[in-house]
Amino acid sequence: MSDDSGLWLLAAGPAGATALYWALYRYYRNTDKSHAFERDTAIEAKPVTGADRKVDTVIGTQERRIRGDNVAAYRTRVQRDRDSPPPL
């Protein structure tokens, strides 16, 4: 048995790994089969409908707190379920 016969086995490792990587990449990415939204989808533009209604105006930072906040009333924010047992 000569020393040259085992050389193909050393080259088969990296070549097989490269082939496996490329096959998995092509299988999962399938960029040649994927749908290109910008190119394949026809979009018909329509005029914008609707109305704008002004609700409230806040100018600057005049108020230090938000109206209607419940930060101080933690018992009304956190409701305990009466039917369930207390946590352990």
Side-chain angles (χ1 to χ4, degrees):
M1 193 165 179
S2 67
D3 292 336
D4 292 337
S5 64
L7 213 52
W8 68 271
L9 189 57
L10 289 175
T18 304
L20 177 65
Y21 174 79
W22 183 249
L24 290 174
Y25 177 80
R26 296 283 294 162
Y27 179 76
Y28 285 108
R29 282 296 303 224
N30 64 4
T31 53
D32 56 335
K33 299 175 191 76
S34 63
H35 173 70
F37 179 80
E38 295 84 4
R39 186 184 66 232
D40 298 339
T41 306
I43 299 173
E44 298 176 11
K46 297 178 182 174
V48 178
T49 59
D52 291 335
R53 181 172 51 97
K54 190 171 185 176
V55 176
D56 196 7
T57 303
V58 177
I59 300 173
T61 54
Q62 301 297 324
E63 298 180 13
R64 297 177 58 96
R65 306 279 304 258
I66 297 174
R67 281 179 261 146
D69 69 346
N70 59 355
V71 174
Y74 64 92
R75 295 216 184 260
T76 59
R77 284 189 293 126
V78 180
Q79 298 286 327
R80 193 172 296 262
D81 189 11
R82 300 284 181 198
D83 296 332
S84 65
L88 298 175

